[in-house]
PDB file of all heavy atoms in Angstrom:
ATOM      1  N   GLU A 203    -114.274 -15.249  86.952  1.00 74.00           N
ATOM      2  CA  GLU A 203    -113.903 -16.467  86.483  1.00 74.00           C
ATOM      3  C   GLU A 203    -115.007 -17.372  86.010  1.00 74.00           C
ATOM      4  O   GLU A 203    -115.140 -18.585  86.321  1.00 74.00           O
ATOM      5  CB  GLU A 203    -112.925 -17.251  87.533  1.00 74.00           C
ATOM      6  CG  GLU A 203    -111.761 -16.361  87.822  1.00 74.00           C
ATOM      7  CD  GLU A 203    -110.848 -17.028  88.825  1.00 74.00           C
ATOM      8  OE1 GLU A 203    -110.963 -18.222  89.129  1.00 74.00           O
ATOM      9  OE2 GLU A 203    -109.949 -16.324  89.306  1.00 74.00           O
ATOM     10  N   SER A 211    -121.819 -26.028  77.172  1.00 93.00           N
ATOM     11  CA  SER A 211    -122.015 -27.454  77.130  1.00 93.00           C
ATOM     12  C   SER A 211    -123.341 -27.919  77.828  1.00 93.00           C
ATOM     13  O   SER A 211    -123.655 -29.102  77.696  1.00 93.00           O
ATOM     14  CB  SER A 211    -120.799 -28.126  77.849  1.00 93.00           C
ATOM     15  OG  SER A 211    -120.868 -27.813  79.257  1.00 93.00           O
ATOM     16  N   ASN A 212    -124.050 -27.049  78.285  1.00 93.00           N
ATOM     17  CA  ASN A 212    -125.216 -27.379  79.077  1.00 93.00           C
ATOM     18  C   ASN A 212    -126.525 -27.138  78.186  1.00 93.00           C
ATOM     19  O   ASN A 212    -126.856 -26.024  77.852  1.00 93.00           O
ATOM     20  CB  ASN A 212    -125.322 -26.513  80.351  1.00 93.00           C
ATOM     21  CG  ASN A 212    -126.582 -26.936  81.251  1.00 93.00           C
ATOM     22  OD1 ASN A 212    -127.708 -27.105  80.788  1.00 93.00           O
ATOM     23  ND2 ASN A 212    -126.221 -27.011  82.567  1.00 93.00           N
ATOM     24  N   PRO A 213    -127.243 -28.260  77.878  1.00 95.00           N
ATOM     25  CA  PRO A 213    -128.456 -28.094  77.041  1.00 95.00           C
ATOM     26  C   PRO A 213    -129.527 -27.210  77.581  1.00 95.00           C
ATOM     27  O   PRO A 213    -130.125 -26.442  76.904  1.00 95.00           O
ATOM     28  CB  PRO A 213    -128.924 -29.553  76.789  1.00 95.00           C
ATOM     29  CG  PRO A 213    -127.748 -30.417  77.170  1.00 95.00           C
ATOM     30  CD  PRO A 213    -127.015 -29.641  78.141  1.00 95.00           C
ATOM     31  N   ASP A 220    -131.824 -19.630  73.928  1.00 96.00           N
ATOM     32  CA  ASP A 220    -132.679 -19.511  72.743  1.00 96.00           C
ATOM     33  C   ASP A 220    -133.945 -18.857  73.124  1.00 96.00           C
ATOM     34  O   ASP A 220    -134.423 -17.997  72.355  1.00 96.00           O
ATOM     35  CB  ASP A 220    -132.945 -20.965  72.141  1.00 96.00           C
ATOM     36  CG  ASP A 220    -131.683 -21.634  71.498  1.00 96.00           C
ATOM     37  OD1 ASP A 220    -130.854 -20.771  71.192  1.00 96.00           O
ATOM     38  OD2 ASP A 220    -131.676 -22.775  71.459  1.00 96.00           O
ATOM     39  N   GLY A 225    -128.918 -15.750  71.463  1.00 93.00           N
ATOM     40  CA  GLY A 225    -128.116 -16.384  70.470  1.00 93.00           C
ATOM     41  C   GLY A 225    -126.962 -17.202  71.199  1.00 93.00           C
ATOM     42  O   GLY A 225    -127.392 -17.962  72.122  1.00 93.00           O
ATOM     43  N   ALA A 229    -122.083 -13.148  77.196  1.00 86.00           N
ATOM     44  CA  ALA A 229    -122.076 -11.974  77.911  1.00 86.00           C
ATOM     45  C   ALA A 229    -123.473 -11.559  78.139  1.00 86.00           C
ATOM     46  O   ALA A 229    -123.794 -10.948  79.265  1.00 86.00           O
ATOM     47  CB  ALA A 229    -121.195 -10.891  77.216  1.00 86.00           C
ATOM     48  N   LYS A 230    -124.441 -11.707  77.249  1.00 90.00           N
ATOM     49  CA  LYS A 230    -125.869 -11.344  77.474  1.00 90.00           C
ATOM     50  C   LYS A 230    -126.449 -12.276  78.593  1.00 90.00           C
ATOM     51  O   LYS A 230    -127.302 -11.766  79.422  1.00 90.00           O
ATOM     52  CB  LYS A 230    -126.702 -11.461  76.239  1.00 90.00           C
ATOM     53  CG  LYS A 230    -126.355 -10.399  75.293  1.00 90.00           C
ATOM     54  CD  LYS A 230    -127.267 -10.590  73.945  1.00 90.00           C
ATOM     55  CE  LYS A 230    -127.030  -9.532  72.962  1.00 90.00           C
ATOM     56  NZ  LYS A 230    -127.846  -9.722  71.733  1.00 90.00           N
ATOM     57  N   LEU A 246    -133.466  -5.268  98.868  1.00 88.00           N
ATOM     58  CA  LEU A 246    -133.112  -5.551 100.330  1.00 88.00           C
ATOM     59  C   LEU A 246    -132.430  -4.273 100.944  1.00 88.00           C
ATOM     60  O   LEU A 246    -131.992  -4.266 102.054  1.00 88.00           O
ATOM     61  CB  LEU A 246    -132.156  -6.731 100.465  1.00 88.00           C
ATOM     62  CG  LEU A 246    -132.757  -8.097  99.946  1.00 88.00           C
ATOM     63  CD1 LEU A 246    -131.545  -9.127  99.990  1.00 88.00           C
ATOM     64  CD2 LEU A 246    -133.887  -8.466 100.767  1.00 88.00           C
ATOM     65  N   ARG A 248    -129.571  -2.814 100.032  1.00 86.00           N
ATOM     66  CA  ARG A 248    -128.200  -3.071 100.317  1.00 86.00           C
ATOM     67  C   ARG A 248    -127.425  -2.681  98.995  1.00 86.00           C
ATOM     68  O   ARG A 248    -127.962  -2.652  97.910  1.00 86.00           O
ATOM     69  CB  ARG A 248    -127.845  -4.646 100.365  1.00 86.00           C
ATOM     70  CG  ARG A 248    -128.536  -5.119 101.610  1.00 86.00           C
ATOM     71  CD  ARG A 248    -127.519  -4.974 102.845  1.00 86.00           C
ATOM     72  NE  ARG A 248    -128.102  -5.634 104.009  1.00 86.00           N
ATOM     73  CZ  ARG A 248    -128.611  -4.973 105.096  1.00 86.00           C
ATOM     74  NH1 ARG A 248    -128.935  -3.747 105.069  1.00 86.00           N
ATOM     75  NH2 ARG A 248    -128.971  -5.699 106.187  1.00 86.00           N
ATOM     76  N   VAL A 263    -124.572  -3.274  83.958  1.00 84.00           N
ATOM     77  CA  VAL A 263    -125.339  -3.391  85.233  1.00 84.00           C
ATOM     78  C   VAL A 263    -125.829  -2.076  85.750  1.00 84.00           C
ATOM     79  O   VAL A 263    -125.530  -1.111  85.201  1.00 84.00           O
ATOM     80  CB  VAL A 263    -124.490  -4.104  86.246  1.00 84.00           C
ATOM     81  CG1 VAL A 263    -124.284  -5.580  85.825  1.00 84.00           C
ATOM     82  CG2 VAL A 263    -123.180  -3.406  86.558  1.00 84.00           C
TER      83      VAL A 263
END
Side-chain angles (χ1 to χ4, degrees):
E203 302 178 15
S211 69
N212 186 311
D220 289 342
K230 287 182 181 177
L246 301 173
R248 295 280 186 251
V263 293

